[in-house]
Amino acid sequence: MTHVDDKAVAAAQILGSAHIAGTWTDGTSGEFHEIFDPATGEHVVTTALAGPADVDRAVSAATAAFPEWSRATPADRSSALARLAVLVGERAEAYAEVETVQAGKPIKLTREFDVPGSIDNISFYSGAARNLEGKASGEYDGTHTSSVRREAVGVVGSIAPWNYPLQMAVWKILPAIAAGNTIVLKPAEITPLTSLMLADDVRAAGIPDGVVNVLTGRGRVVGEAILAHPGVRMVSFTGSTPVGTRVMQVAAQTVKRVHLELGGKAPFVVFEDADLEAAVHGAVAGSLINSGQDCTAATRAYVQRPLYDAFVAGVADVMGTVRLGDPRDAATDQGPLVSWDQRERVAAYVERARGYGATVVCGGRAPGGDLAKGAYYEPTLVVDVAQDSEIVQEELFGPVLVVLPFDTDDDGIALANDTPFGLAASAWTRDVFRAMRASRDIQAGCVWINDHIPIVSDMPHGGFKGSGFGKDMSQYSFDEYTQVKHVSLEVTGAARKDWHRTVFGDR
Ligand code: NAD
């Protein structure tokens, strides 16, 4: 790694572009990647990208570490993870600053959400490591004692996106290693820095070398090499639905277990009896968090006709108060998008929507002045769009909310379900029956009632339909990184078993 220009990154003490077998190293692909601060356009760091040979080394390190780590007692694994939570806590401010520099997230978001959420998740899996549950051992057929062993799967290959780099690394690494697996993680090449910091803290926490390996590299090179590697037994992927489809295809060649956390297009359903002020503020916060680059962000608001005009006017007013600015400034509400490419992608969706008759009520452009040098895009509200238009159906991953009206409760729920995605949703109502019906009928892995976004380590996160399968966070995620083995011990000692009659006849 060269040109560590930024103070925050220097303070993070990242000494290489990869962390393999407990040692800093650089990727050997011969390719480099320049990371730029999306708020200023300033160069932050150049990483030396990994290639297939580095994946081989990392998988070998993880394979070598597996026997000892998988046989460590749950108490030992738990203690190591508890030490990791303390170490990350000691460097919380450095993590927050580096996350802000590499991803453009407002510092108040990284300080109050990304970093404390990650520490809490590490602590949760420190507890989960000691919570191996299963059926009671017993003589289910009268002649054999059956027991269930819950075992680690082996070497896990994980591939993460750029929108919550530290949290994604934690959500991938922690349940896997708590359960006794070892791991090779590839963060997104544009945001690898906090994952590398975490790998170094893993070493400092006394977790054996090779248990956690982190490689910076391109998806098509390092990602595919992880997917195809015969030494990797499970792939855990978070990212877009098109890449998730590819992950499943490649992993199928070696019959790997697959865990997919994919895209979202969360509906936000406002019934006529909703608290309008709560719904308006919820919609603005839920659509603009992390500049809308959140897989669960509110993206499609469906508002029952009597509230529609007031909701649109209210959202436009509140969006107008959001302070766009330098993400290092504690007063900033919304920073830039993660990159100029991402900004162009979002802007292109809005331009095309204008072309097919949409009304852009507010935003819909990149700001000028001091912010022109960054990848900023204004909070944007779009109406007068058809349900089947791309801006309603596809994931933009930007600070854009579309609003459509609906008439009956059935219509609202049908519209909410009418995309290929099913990650998260919310319903806004003061009627208990509407709330219960929405929570039953909306096809999504999470349905919030009268809020949108909050998550907790103790509860599962993961999609339905095109948003993938498998859960992150909670005991459900821990269980996914284990495989269940039935052990059956014959207890009568008889040489001739009763069931042998089916083979030997009556002899
Ligand atoms: P992406 O799919 O482009 O990339 C995700 C990761 O996959 C990156 O590390 C990338 O390098 C890698 N990759 C790309 N091509 C690959 C290939 N052919 N083989 C293997 N790996 C490959 O996604 P992104 O743009 O980084 O992140 C945004 C996406 O992530 C959005 O769709 C968002 O909804 C999704 N996301 C989902 C969740 C969830 O929990 N469901 C959480 C966060 C983000």
Side-chain angles (χ1 to χ4, degrees), residues 160-162 186 189 224 238-240 261-263 295 395 397 461:
W162 45 256
K186 188 201 91 60
E189 57 271 40
E224 298 248 350
T238 299
S240 61
E261 297 290 351
L262 307 180
C295 51
E395 189 177 40
F397 238 47
H461 166 90

Side-chain angles (χ1 to χ4, degrees), residues 456-481:
V456 285
S457 299
D458 321 60
M459 285 291 136
H461 166 90
F464 285 12
K465 304 196 307 189
S467 294
F469 48 81
K471 299 294 173 193
D472 279 335
M473 306 211 291
S474 79
Q475 193 69 31
Y476 291 93
S477 179
F478 178 83
D479 290 350
E480 295 215 7
Y481 291 92

